[in-house]
Amino acid sequence: ATKRDLLPIIIALVPATPIGVYVLVTVDPDMMRRLIGGFVLISAIIMLRGWSYTGARNAHISFTAGIVSGLANGAGAVGGPATTLYLISSDEPAAVKRANITILSTVMAIMTVIPLAISGMITTKLLLHSAALLIPFIAAIILGGYLFGRTNDHIYRLVSLWFLIAVGFMVAIL
């Protein structure tokens, strides 16, 4: 993982995530669902088209990516595209990119749960649904790790982006 990129992102997304959660709990749910799906879809299409961030890679840019990511994470658990677009554009090997994205995904998950718990949004029903999804989630992580070791950077990027396009489309349209 690259600390020079991750630390400013994490420092920015920590306070930005609760602000996004506030937006989530105060805005119309159907509108938020469509915005979230559209955000994911557009982000994935931008990356699939080959656009990548080619500007400076410094603490200020990483911090900005963290703010966008934190707001999107809190508002709809879609903080990944902003930082993924930034991190996947680096010249680091795929293993480092994957480590960066995994670390940020973990931090984002934790930062989302805390304000949701404080606001009373976490119910017993939600906890039971989450527990039921834990086994497939862990299985997907294990399978992803296995497949990641048997592919190259180009295939990893394509599979990830097409998956994001499918998810974004389904969330925005359905």
Side-chain angles (χ1 to χ4, degrees):
T2 51
K3 290 179 188 174
R4 74 181 185 292
D5 288 333
L6 290 179
L7 288 178
I9 291 171
I10 291 169
I11 289 168
L13 76 82
V14 167
T17 299
I19 296 168
V21 170
Y22 175 77
V23 171
L24 173 68
V25 299
T26 58
V27 174
D28 175 58
D30 191 52
M31 184 176 83
M32 282 304 299
R33 181 184 55 79
R34 293 186 189 281
L35 287 172
I36 291 164
F39 181 75
V40 171
L41 182 61
I42 290 168
S43 298
I45 290 170
I46 287 170
M47 288 185 274
L48 186 64
R49 301 250 331 146
W51 185 87
S52 62
Y53 178 76
T54 57
R57 298 191 78 78
N58 56 44
H60 177 71
I61 301 299
S62 294
F63 189 84
T64 302
I67 289 172
V68 172
S69 182
L71 292 171
N73 182 55
V78 291
T83 51
T84 298
L85 180 58
Y86 178 65
L87 293 170
I88 209 164
S89 298
S90 77
D91 56 0
E92 301 286 349
V96 173
K97 292 175 187 177
R98 185 173 188 264
N100 288 338
I101 293 166
T102 301
I103 290 168
L104 284 176
S105 297
T106 302
V107 171
M108 282 189 263
I110 293 166
M111 288 311 306
T112 303
V113 168
I114 293 169
L116 286 174
I118 291 170
S119 69
M121 298 295 293
I122 298 179
T123 63
T124 303
K125 181 179 178 181
L126 178 63
L127 289 173
L128 291 173
H129 285 166
S130 298
L133 293 172
L134 189 58
I135 291 172
F137 177 73
I138 292 170
I141 290 173
I142 292 168
L143 177 62
Y146 172 80
L147 294 174
F148 178 78
R150 284 149 183 78
T151 188
N152 61 42
D153 289 6
H154 179 71
I155 292 173
Y156 167 72
R157 180 180 169 93
L158 284 177
V159 169
S160 299
L161 294 175
W162 279 108
F163 179 74
L164 284 174
I165 287 171
V167 169
F169 179 77
M170 291 172 69
V171 170
I173 303 302
L174 302 178

